Amino acid sequence: MDALLMEGSSLGRLPRERRFETETDIEQRLVELLSATDGMLVVACSVQNIDRVVSVYRAAKRSGRQLVVDAYGAEILKATDTASIPKPSGDWDDVKVYIPQFQRRLLVRNGIAHLVDSYKGRRIFPEKLSGQASKSVMIVRPWMLTDLQEVGALEGARAVWSQWEGYLTSESGVAFTEKCKALDIPLETIHTSGHADIHALQQYAAAVNPVRLVPIHTFFPSQFSELFANVELSPDGNWVEI
């Protein structure tokens, strides 16, 4: 291998000896939290993070609960076209779809309301959600809490932030935190990075054994020479000839 472009997102924010939690760890933490949750568990994570969605689903199933997603989440999961990934179709009877009012209007406005036809038999309607809250885990985005409050689905609920904690300082993250406080919903962060930790990066670099290792996507490129062999630093914007 002539050159390996190596990301280093974990440098500077993770001690070198520490490993990131695995998805199995995340699943177990969710199971433990569910045992202490009387109402619905709402999980704020990216539905495009398929590994995380699977972890949430597995935790829900182990806890005797169903997974609930919105229309966007349903379409993302169906688009994977992978038999082993939970989705509101086929044999996945414990995956349901709840469409918030704002999203219903959006589907109509964009001329794609017909999408809901494919969820027939899998939908949970607003008037039924509160009755199913205690046996549900819902993947949400921050703006959805108001809708869930209005349909009475947050009694005894707990919330999980399962994204990078830095997003909590964004406008939507702050709004989510404040809404949880206002509704007296306990909020806990259960997340692991999608990036590799330093140990995994070192294992990979050793296996590939490139002639040159070029650091990219890191705030600490100078640390690479202490951790890897054959490092060649290149400032952003410079061409690297191979």
Side-chain angles (χ1 to χ4, degrees):
M1 186 72 70
D2 293 311
L4 172 64
L5 307 183
M6 174 69 78
E7 70 100 0
S9 301
S10 61
L11 271 69
R13 64 187 182 94
L14 186 73
R16 296 183 183 182
E17 68 281 359
R18 184 182 158 195
R19 305 298 305 273
F20 283 130
E21 287 186 292
T22 65
E23 286 298 326
T24 300
D25 297 329
I26 296 299
E27 177 187 330
Q28 182 57 37
R29 290 180 62 190
L30 288 169
V31 168
E32 292 168 1
L33 186 61
L34 278 165
S35 68
T37 304
D38 295 326
M40 181 186 291
L41 183 69
V42 295
V43 182
C45 72
S46 170
V47 75
Q48 294 184 34
N49 185 346
I50 302 299
D51 285 338
R52 185 59 42 79
V53 174
V54 171
S55 296
V56 173
Y57 169 79
R58 286 173 56 88
K61 189 174 185 66
R62 287 173 58 188
S63 304
R65 298 194 181 211
Q66 62 189 5
L67 176 67
V68 183
V69 296
D70 67 353
Y72 174 74
E75 290 302 308
I76 291 291
L77 295 174
K78 286 166 59 181
T80 64
D81 197 28
T82 301
S84 60
I85 292 176
K87 58 185 70 63
S89 61
D91 296 328
W92 301 93
D93 294 331
D94 50 1
V95 181
K96 307 295 185 181
V97 180
Y98 174 76
I99 306 177
Q101 183 178 8
F102 171 80
Q103 195 171 66
R104 292 198 297 272
R105 292 197 298 264
L106 188 67
L107 291 171
V108 172
R109 187 163 63 246
N110 290 336
I112 53 175
H114 62 275
L115 289 177
V116 305
D117 295 340
S118 65
Y119 314 142
K120 188 175 181 180
R122 303 300 181 99
R123 286 186 62 182
I124 301 178
F125 292 91
E127 62 273 16
K128 300 290 186 180
L129 187 60
S130 61
Q132 298 192 37
S134 62
K135 63 175 184 179
S136 300
V137 177
M138 182 181 290
I139 293 178
V140 302
R141 280 168 285 164
W143 60 266
M144 292 171 62
L145 284 187
T146 297
D147 183 281
L148 298 178
Q149 176 193 12
E150 290 175 351
V151 300
L154 295 178
E155 183 71 29
R158 287 179 182 267
V160 170
W161 184 263
S162 195
Q163 304 177 67
W164 178 50
E165 285 190 280
Y167 291 141
L168 284 171
T169 62
S170 68
E171 183 177 351
S172 62
V174 170
F176 184 75
T177 301
E178 291 180 348
K179 189 68 174 179
C180 286
K181 288 181 180 178
L183 296 175
D184 198 27
I185 296 175
L187 173 61
E188 184 172 337
T189 297
I190 300 179
H191 180 59
T192 189
S193 177
H195 295 282
D197 57 39
I198 297 169
H199 178 74
L201 292 173
Q202 288 177 317
Q203 282 187 307
Y204 188 79
V208 173
N209 192 27
V211 175
R212 288 185 287 173
L213 187 149
V214 183
I216 62 170
H217 202 264
T218 179
F219 290 114
F220 301 95
S222 61
Q223 293 186 14
F224 272 72
S225 295
E226 306 170 21
L227 300 167
F228 304 96
N230 306 321
V231 173
E232 180 181 305
L233 297 179
S234 177
D236 288 349
N238 280 19
W239 285 98
V240 175
E241 187 172 332
I242 299 174

